[in-house]
Amino acid sequence: MHEDNEAGGRVTLAAVAKEAGVSMPTVSKVLNGRSDVSRATRAKVERLLELHGYRRRSQPASRSPLIELVFHELESIWAMELIRGVENVAKENRATVVLTESGTRHAPAADWLPGVLQRRPLGVVLVFSTLPEDVKRRLRAAVIPFVVIDPAGDPDPDVPSVGSANWAGGLAATRHLTDQGHERVAIITGPEDMLCSLARLDGYRSAMAMAGLEADPRLTRYGDFHVQGGFEHAMDLLDGPDRPTAVFAGSDLQALGVLEAARVKGLRVPEDLSVVGYDDVPLAQWSSPPLTTVHQPLRSMAEEAARMLLRPDDPGTAAQRIELATRLVVRQSTAAPRKT
């Protein structure tokens, strides 16, 4: 069952139908994401299609000129950068972007899948850590390509994904502070179960070690990438005589929370406290003072993910991982520590 599927697709599907013990229309329903097929039959047909390497060439008439972009939350300020990136590529290809909010930061909700199978977009860009096996199998069976924009840096090896250099970003942020003479540097990274958080933390620890400094575990906090979390952790870190002289926040939103905590505590930035963020969202340059931060190329990540969807089908790049560089952007929220 290895015929060219454009020329011999009917033979291939007929063989799959025979082996599964179902009719050709049932196989067709599975391929087109129809809901009127039992779960057991769908799983059997999808398994056989995958086993025999069935690859149906896209037929433009059967495709909606859509690129679906799926988030677990649309509230995050960096979501707009990802939307703009996918939109740029969609315009180049005369396609429309469809936005969907679903699930948790780890995976989309189960009720999202039937809808996308019916919409039959050109492809799907997902902003999640990974995808459940059932989701991957059913998207592949319906010949709907997908790419993960993976902030966590922990994609399954069979999932094409785009990420950024989180460890290098954490290293650059912290080295900037230690090079200025800061010794008590705190970090508010992201959630403990996301590898991007741990990679930025590892970069921080490496920079501290390179400077001959010990990373005080009391100055390490796991946040949630939001303003309120940054504020609450900073209020605790800045409460006491042995406070840090600098804070590396694992997102610009958390850094804004740190700036507000410093204001509440009566500390001036950067005279009394230096602050470095992460992401370089547009708002960062308009904070008070303008925020020193690590530029994560969010828009470029989204553009590259969308282009991966639209490239000619090439089995050799089916599980490609692209990692884009980060860089430090120095503004006015950092300075040498005040001499005491």
Side-chain angles (χ1 to χ4, degrees), residues 132-200:
E133 289 299 322
D134 180 60
V135 172
K136 291 187 287 187
R137 186 177 67 250
R138 294 183 66 182
L139 287 174
R140 286 171 180 146
V143 201
I144 298 176
F146 57 91
V147 177
V148 168
I149 296 179
D150 179 31
D154 186 28
D156 292 334
D158 64 338
V159 175
S161 63
V162 180
S164 68
N166 288 292
W167 180 86
L171 181 79
T174 311
R175 283 198 68 177
H176 173 66
L177 295 169
T178 58
D179 285 349
Q180 289 184 319
H182 291 279
E183 297 182 358
R184 287 191 60 73
V185 180
I187 178 172
I188 306 172
T189 190
E192 196 168 2
D193 61 350
M194 294 182 71
L195 278 195
C196 65
S197 308
L198 302 180
R200 292 170 197 176

Side-chain angles (χ1 to χ4, degrees), residues 14-38:
V16 168
K18 182 177 180 180
E19 190 170 347
V22 300
S23 66
M24 278 282 288
T26 298
V27 175
S28 180
K29 287 180 181 180
V30 172
L31 281 169
N32 289 295
R34 293 271 296 275
S35 59
D36 51 341
V37 179
S38 73

